[in-house]
Amino acid sequence: MAALARIFRRGLGENRAKIGVFARAMNAVIRANGQQEAVRLELKDYRDVTGSFDRIVSIEMLEAVGEAYWPLFFKTLQQRLRAGGHAVLQVITIDESRFAAYRGSADFIQRHVFPGGMLPTKSIIQAQAANAGLRMVQCEYFGSDYARRLLEWRKRFRAAWPRISALGYSEQFHRLWDYYLCYCAAGFKAGTINVGLYVLERPADPIRARRDTAALIPTLPGN
C-alpha cells in the first residue's frame, strides 16, 4: 500500500507539472495568434474561479471531488453560469442498486487509483443539480463505447510499455494499470457503471429547474 501511495503521489505531482508546462506552451501559441483576449488556459482549483460564463464543460471531474463536495461543485456551477447559460458534465455513474454497498466500503479504484473519489448515480446528479438551481435539459449515455475504448487504451498501453518502463516505472505500476483498464472495461460492458453527458442550464426560475429536472430523469435509460 505504501508503495502504491508513492506511485500515486509521484504521478499526481508529475501530472500537475506537465499540465502547467502544457498550459504555458499553449498560452504562448494563443498569444502568437492574437487570441489572448478570447482564450486563456489556467491551472486552478474550480473553487477559486471567479467571474461568470455562458458555457462550462467538466470532464469526469465530479467523480474526483468527493461526495462531501458534491453540493459545492454544483453550487459553484450555478454561481459561475450566467442566467440562461449551460454546463455540460461528462460523468461516470454507478448503478442505483449498487450505490449503497459501493459507498460503504472502498473498492479497488478508490484504494489504488483515485483515493477519495466517489461515483454518483443518475438520481444523485438529478438531485444535486436541482438543489443548486440548475435545470437538466439533456442526457446521453455511451458506456458500451467506453468499454471498447478502455480495451484499446490497454492495447496501446501494453504496446508502449517498453518505452514507459524506460522512464523508470515499475512492473508493479504496469500490473496496476493493466488491471485498472480491464476492471473498468468489464464494469462498462456489464452495465454496473455507465458514462454520460449531462446538459444543465441555469434558468431564471430555480423552482422550475427542480420541477423540470425531476420530470426529465425518469424517462432516460441507463445508470
Side-chain angles (χ1 to χ4, degrees):
M1 289 295 293
L4 287 170
R6 286 195 297 271
I7 289 171
F8 176 79
R9 288 195 296 270
R10 173 184 173 183
L12 178 62
E14 290 178 354
N15 283 338
R16 287 183 63 87
K18 289 175 181 177
I19 292 170
V21 170
F22 175 78
R24 288 191 293 273
M26 291 307 300
N27 278 327
V29 173
I30 290 166
R31 288 192 298 271
N33 285 275
Q35 297 296 314
Q36 61 271 22
E37 297 301 319
V39 181
R40 183 176 69 253
L41 300 182
E42 296 183 357
L43 180 58
K44 180 182 289 188
D45 191 304
Y46 75 96
R47 294 166 292 187
D48 297 330
V49 174
T50 58
S52 57
F53 305 89
D54 296 315
R55 301 288 186 269
I56 296 174
V57 177
S58 171
I59 307 296
E60 294 179 20
M61 181 176 169
L62 179 61
E63 308 91 313
V65 302
E67 182 180 4
Y69 293 95
W70 287 343
L72 176 60
F73 177 84
F74 281 93
K75 189 62 178 176
T76 301
L77 288 177
Q78 191 270 347
Q79 291 172 339
R80 299 282 75 84
L81 279 174
R82 296 189 179 101
H86 291 82
V88 178
L89 313 184
Q90 181 171 312
V91 183
I92 296 173
T93 55
I94 191 165
D95 184 82
E96 303 279 352
S97 65
R98 293 176 177 265
F99 181 73
Y102 163 75
R103 184 173 183 259
S105 61
D107 68 355
F108 163 77
I109 292 178
Q110 291 167 314
R111 289 180 184 274
H112 302 304
V113 183
F114 296 120
M118 175 73 72
L119 299 183
T121 64
K122 183 174 63 175
S123 65
I124 287 172
I125 297 174
Q126 166 197 355
Q128 294 285 344
N131 289 341
L134 296 168
R135 185 169 72 97
M136 190 173 293
V137 296
Q138 186 177 348
C139 303
E140 180 179 342
Y141 301 100
F142 50 99
S144 60
D145 294 334
Y146 231 48
R148 293 191 294 271
R149 179 182 300 179
L150 282 155
L151 294 176
E152 180 62 26
W153 285 343
R154 178 178 183 245
K155 176 182 174 182
R156 297 185 185 192
F157 175 68
R158 298 183 79 176
W161 178 247
R163 286 180 284 132
I164 297 170
S165 62
L167 298 174
Y169 291 95
S170 67
E171 181 59 27
Q172 183 183 33
F173 178 90
H174 184 196
R175 294 196 304 270
L176 171 69
W177 286 95
D178 189 68
Y179 182 76
Y180 165 67
L181 293 170
C182 291
Y183 182 93
C184 292
F188 284 112
K189 187 172 182 178
T192 57
I193 55 176
N194 205 340
V195 61
L197 298 174
Y198 300 81
V199 182
L200 308 177
E201 179 187 38
R202 179 182 175 180
D205 181 358
I207 296 177
R208 181 184 175 188
R210 297 188 184 96
R211 184 180 65 246
D212 290 354
T213 297
L216 174 68
I217 290 293
T219 67
L220 298 171
N223 294 324

